[in-house]
Amino acid sequence: MRKLFVFSAIFASTCMVSIAAMAQRLTSFVDPYIGSGGHGHVFVGANVPFGMVQLGPTEKSRGWDWTSGYHYSDSIIVGFAHLHLSGTGCGDLGDLALLPVNNVQQRDIHFKHNQETVAPGYYRLKTSDVDVELTSTKRVGMHRYTFSGKNGLLRIDLNEGIGDELTAADLRQVDDCTLEGYRKSRGWAPRQEVYFTITFNAPVRLWEPRPGEGIVDLKDTSRPVLVKVALSPVSSEKARQNMMAELPGWDFDQVRRDADAAWERELSRVNIETSNAQDKKIFYTSMYHLMVAPSEFCDVDRQYRGSDGRVYDGDFTNYTTLSLWDTYRAFHPLMTLIYPELQADYAETFIKIFEQQGRLPIWHLWGSETDCMVGSSAVPVLADLALKGFVRNPEQAFNAMKVSQLQDVRSLGLLKQYGYIPYDKEPANETVAKALEYCLDEDGLARLAKKLGHEDDYRYFFDRSRSYKKYFDRDIQFMRALGSNGQFRPEFDPIKVIHRADDYTEGNAWQYTWLVPHDVHGLISLFGGEKQFIKKLDEFFVTEGDMGPEASPDISGFIGQYAHGNEPSHHIIYLYNYAGQPWKAAPKLRYVMRKLYHAEPDGLCGNEDVGQMSAWYILSSLGLYQVEPSGGRFIMGTPLFAKAQVNVGNGKTLQITARNLSDKNIYVQGVRLNGKKYTKTYVDFDVLRQGGTLEFLMGPRPSKWGTAVADRP
C-alpha cells in the first residue's frame, strides 16, 4: 500500500507539473531587455501589437546606441514618452514625455535595473520616491503613479524628442482633469505632427514655466494618480475619440491584462516545442519584436494624415514606420505567412503614399518620407504581395511601381541614361549597392508585369533587373563600381569600408557580390559554374580582414566576411541550396541561431531593424527562408525545433516537425510534405498557405537530399 501511495503521489505531482508547463503563458517567455544593450536598439516599454503608442522610458541621448531612447547601460530617465522606434539606425520620436517629480527643479530619475519590471504591455519602475507603472492600448497610454509622499508634480516635456527639433507646440488645460495640445517637429522625419489629449483621474492645475513645458500640480498624491494619454495624427479632438473608443474607464490592472492577452493571442500564431528554455525565450522575444512595427497610423475611424500633410478618410488601416530596406528580406515574407489578413492594408498603405507623394515609400515615418537607404524597397514588397494575391487592385499596384521606377530621382535617371549607375556621375556614392538593389526591385516589377500581361513592360524591367551583370569583374569575381567610360574603378579593396563614402551601403565587396537574390543561377553563371561559385562562397565564410576605422558600426556578427548584424548578408547562407550543396548551409545556419542570438540585453549582433533580425531567426528556426524577394519560394534550411505549429490564417495550420533532431543531428536527410516524399529544397508559398504537414528527417552527417539538379530552387 505504501508503494502504491508513493507512486500515486509521484504520478499526481508529475501531472501537475506537466499541466503547469502546458498552461504557461507565451508572454512569460518574452524578455523585452533582449536587444536593449549592445547595438540592438530595441524599444523597452509598454505597447500592444502594431499599436500607435510605444510608451516607455526615455534616457538622455548619449550617441548612436540611444536611437530607441533606451539603452541597458544607462541609469538616468528623463521622461516616459509615448512614441519610440525599435531597432533603427537613426533616432527620432520620443514625443510627449511625462516625468513624475518631487519639485520643479527635478528633471530626471536615477534608477537601477532591479527596480524595473518589463513585460509585454507593461513597464514598471519602483524607486524610493515613486512607483511608475505603464500600460497601453493601441492609441492610448495609461500611467499609474504612486508617490511615497503626499505631494507630487508631473513634468510634461514637448521640447525634447529623440534627435529631432521642435517646430511648434501647444499645451493647454481644457477642464479640471483634461489637457490637450500638439507637438510638431522636424528630424529624421522631416515633418511630424502628434496631437494628444491627457486625462487625469482627479482635478489638476497646469502651469508653464517655459514654452513647450508644463508642470502639473497633482494636488493630492496620497492615492495613486492615474493618467491617460491618447494620440492622434489628425487632431486633439480625434485623440479624445480614440480615448473614448479604446480606454473610457480607469481600471489600470484590466488594461494591463488586456494588453497581455493581446500579446498572448498574437504570440500564439506560432507554437514551438523545445526543451531548450533559452531558445524558447529567444523565439518568443523575436515574435514580440516582430510586432512593434509597422504601427497603425490612423484613428479609430481610420482617418489619417497623408504624406502630403492632408487629412484623409481611409477605408483601410494605414501603417507607418516602414523600414523597407531592412524588412523586404525576411520580415515581409514571414508576415505574408503568419499575418495574411494584414497584407491588403500594407499594400493599400504603399499605394496611398504613392498617390500622395508621387512615388512609393522608401523609409516612411509618421506620414513623412525620410528617403533613408538605397533602392526602392517598397517595390519588391508590393510585387510579392501582388504575386501572392493580397493586393486588391494589382493594376493599380503595378502602375505605382512602374511610375516610381521610371522617375529620375535617387540615381534612377543615371540608370536610364547609362544602363547602370556610374560612380563618377553620382556624388552620393554607393553606386554598386544602389544598382544591385534596383535590379532586385525591378525583377519583382517584371514578374508582376508578366503576370498581368504587360509584355513590353516585362521585357524592359526584366532587362534592367539583369544589369547587375555589368558590375561583375570576372577576373577577380567581385561586384565593382563602373565609371561613365565603362571601366571599373581603378582603386579596389574588397574588405575595406568607408561609411557613406564608397561604392557599397553598410557593407563591402565581399558582402555585396552575392546581392542577386532574384537571379541566383544567373550569378552562378557569372562565376563560370557551380564549382567556382561554391569555391568563392566557401572563401566568403573564412576570409578575415580589417574593414578599417571608417566602417559602418552596423557591419557586425561575423563569420568570415558574412556579417549577420546587417541585412545585405541575410540571404547568403541559403545560396548553397541553389548550387546543390544544401548540407553546407546547415552548420552555418545553426551557428548563427546559436551564437549570434542570445537571451540577454546584448543578445543581438546588430540593430533589430524594425523586426528584420527577429524575422530571420523565426523563419530560419522553422527551417524556411524566402531568398527571392518577390515570388514566394521558401528555401529549406535546418529547423531548430522538434515541432512548430504555424497558424497560416483562414483556420489553417502548418505543422512542421523535425524527427531525430539534436545538437548533432542538424543535416536534413529527407523531407515529407503532407505525408509524401518531397525531394526539393524549396517549397512554394501557395503550398504553405494551405497548411498541412512539413516533416524533416534529421541526421548527424550530410546527405544527398537536395543535390539533384531538379531539386534545387
Side-chain angles (χ1 to χ4, degrees), residues 325 328-329 374-375 432-441 465 468-469 479 504-505 508-520 523 527 533 540 567-572 575 627 629:
W325 182 84
Y328 81 77
R329 305 165 199 265
V374 298
V432 176
K434 291 173 181 176
L436 296 180
E437 293 284 356
Y438 284 142
C439 285
L440 68 88
D441 297 339
S465 75
Y468 71 86
K469 298 176 182 179
M479 295 287 183
Y504 310 94
T505 299
N508 62 23
W510 267 110
Q511 291 141 16
Y512 270 89
T513 292
W514 314 101
L515 191 61
V516 191
H518 60 293
D519 186 27
V520 180
L523 180 62
F527 279 94
F533 178 82
F540 173 67
E567 281 66 27
S569 288
H570 278 189
H571 69 292
I572 298 176
L575 298 184
V627 170

Side-chain angles (χ1 to χ4, degrees), residues 51 53 120 171 214 227 297 360 486 491 507 572 605:
V53 167
L171 178 63
V227 188
F297 186 60
L360 286 168
E491 310 85 9
I572 298 176
C605 64

Side-chain angles (χ1 to χ4, degrees), residues 60 107 198 248 295 367 465 496 517 563:
K60 188 174 181 62
R107 307 194 71 86
I198 306 175
S295 53
S465 75
K496 186 177 181 181

Side-chain angles (χ1 to χ4, degrees), residues 100 145 147 152-154 200 202-205 216-221 225 227:
Y145 301 121
F147 289 84
L153 305 171
L154 189 64
F200 296 83
V204 298
R205 181 175 67 88
V216 179
D217 182 355
L218 300 171
K219 296 186 178 181
D220 181 9
T221 57
V225 176
V227 188

Side-chain angles (χ1 to χ4, degrees), residues 325 329 373-374 430 432-433 437 479 492-513 515 540 547 550-556 558 561-563 565-569 572:
W325 182 84
R329 305 165 199 265
M373 306 310 295
V374 298
E430 303 180 320
V432 176
E437 293 284 356
M479 295 287 183
F492 179 72
D493 184 333
I495 294 178
K496 186 177 181 181
V497 176
I498 303 176
H499 184 60
R500 302 297 300 273
D502 61 19
D503 301 320
Y504 310 94
T505 299
E506 298 178 5
N508 62 23
W510 267 110
Q511 291 141 16
Y512 270 89
T513 292
L515 191 61
F540 173 67
M547 294 186 298
E550 298 177 89
S552 314
D554 310 62
I555 312 171
S556 54
F558 288 99
Q561 288 301 300
Y562 177 90
N566 208 18
E567 281 66 27
S569 288
I572 298 176

Side-chain angles (χ1 to χ4, degrees), residues 67-141:
T67 60
S68 73
Y70 182 98
H71 194 267
Y72 192 80
S73 65
D74 210 338
S75 60
I76 302 174
I77 291 170
V78 296
F80 298 97
H82 291 75
L83 293 175
H84 291 89
L85 292 165
S86 186
T88 58
C90 294
D92 205 332
L93 305 184
D95 301 83
L96 189 54
L98 276 56
L99 185 73
V101 295
N102 291 322
N103 56 72
V104 295
Q105 286 76 36
Q106 183 181 348
R107 307 194 71 86
D108 53 40
I109 295 176
H110 292 243
F111 75 102
K112 297 179 180 179
H113 291 300
N114 61 12
Q115 298 172 308
E116 289 182 301
T117 301
V118 292
Y122 180 70
Y123 174 88
R124 183 181 189 182
L125 175 64
K126 188 174 184 180
T127 71
S128 59
D129 294 325
V130 63
D131 186 359
V132 177
E133 295 177 275
L134 310 174
T135 189
S136 79
T137 65
K138 283 188 174 182
R139 296 167 179 83
V140 187

